[in-house]
Amino acid sequence: MNSSRMLLGGLGACLLASCAMMVPQHTPPGVTVDLIPNGRYARRYHRPMVPRYITIHATENYARSCGAYAHAQMLKKGSIKGRHNAIGYIGWHFTVDDHSIYQSMPTNERGEHADYDGPGNRTSIGIEMCENRGNSRERTLDKTARLVAWLMKEHGIPLSHVVPHQHWRMIRHDDHRDLGHKNCPHFLMDHGRPGAKWQAFLAKIAAYHRAM
């Protein structure tokens, strides 16, 4: 075998090996995929991630028009800045309202939604629940629970690794200011910490996970 054929054969073997190592990204049921452009805004750098946690947030955005689609568009256009993080933009993976779910980042890419340079961003899928006027919180919680159950099964994430934003301690990237633990999602916290309401939410997730 001549050297050019050996080179081609070697390249082919490498390509096959790399393809074999790639993990396919599946779309959860009922989710609209509308990703932030690759190389832009919260995806300006390729930062691969193996998800080990799921972090739950609330948008605290009460304007009537600010449902899941609106937030996905804001992320897609780079409208949500992150002045104190490493890339200058905020980014999370899924936004949920009472009738829709939008995916803005692949689940194997790191977002900027939890704790700056900490493990919340480096290892967790971020989910934002909408609070816009007219949105049903009960239906939003139910859709979120179903999504979380699917993601747990897809990525092998245990229920103990489904956490509120409050779980992560926030220390800013640029000036290292310690912001402590945010009361988020505020409507599932009891006096700023997980309590009965959070446990009820986890029970709903667990029921959907068992039914899969």
Side-chain angles (χ1 to χ4, degrees):
M1 183 181 292
N2 62 36
S3 58
S4 61
R5 289 180 64 190
M6 289 177 65
L7 178 61
L8 288 171
L11 285 171
C14 287
L15 287 170
L16 285 171
S18 65
C19 288
M21 293 174 65
M22 290 174 64
V23 178
Q25 292 292 294
H26 300 123
T27 302
V31 170
T32 300
V33 179
D34 195 9
L35 300 182
I36 299 164
N38 191 23
R40 304 291 300 277
Y41 312 125
R43 298 182 69 205
R44 63 188 298 185
Y45 307 121
H46 179 61
R47 301 187 298 172
M49 176 185 77
V50 177
R52 294 192 287 115
Y53 287 84
I54 299 170
T55 300
I56 308 298
H57 304 260
T59 63
E60 298 187 46
N61 189 343
Y62 306 108
R64 183 174 293 278
S65 61
C66 288
Y69 171 77
H71 281 90
Q73 291 305 300
M74 286 188 278
L75 292 177
K76 193 174 180 180
K77 295 173 182 177
S79 300
I80 308 178
K81 303 294 194 295
R83 290 191 304 115
H84 298 288
N85 69 27
I87 60 172
Y89 295 92
I90 302 297
W92 60 85
H93 298 84
F94 297 93
T95 311
V96 185
D97 62 24
D98 62 4
H99 64 278
S100 62
I101 304 173
Y102 280 79
Q103 181 174 0
S104 296
M105 299 187 72
T107 55
N108 62 359
E109 288 185 21
R110 169 184 166 170
E112 288 285 345
H113 56 88
D115 59 355
Y116 299 96
D117 302 320
N121 282 336
R122 289 187 283 103
T123 65
S124 81
I125 296 168
I127 300 176
E128 287 276 0
M129 295 185 292
C130 291
E131 299 186 79
N132 51 302
R133 212 157 16 123
N135 182 64
S136 167
R137 181 173 292 173
E138 182 179 357
R139 288 200 297 270
T140 300
L141 281 167
D142 188 72
K143 291 181 76 66
T144 302
R146 290 176 183 269
L147 172 63
V148 172
W150 189 93
L151 291 168
M152 286 170 56
K153 184 174 182 181
E154 177 74 6
H155 295 286
I157 297 172
L159 187 64
S160 61
H161 282 201
V162 177
V163 298
H165 186 186
Q166 185 274 343
H167 178 84
W168 307 110
R169 187 172 182 175
M170 302 186 300
I171 299 176
R172 295 199 310 204
H173 170 79
D174 56 354
D175 59 9
H176 307 294
R177 180 180 174 187
D178 188 344
L179 303 180
H181 297 264
K182 186 177 181 181
N183 181 21
C184 178
H186 61 96
F187 55 79
L188 288 181
M189 298 293 99
D190 290 302
H191 306 291
R193 298 183 61 83
K197 289 181 285 188
W198 179 255
Q199 291 304 317
F201 178 61
L202 291 183
K204 183 184 288 285
I205 295 168
Y208 283 129
H209 189 259
R210 287 193 299 271
M212 288 181 169

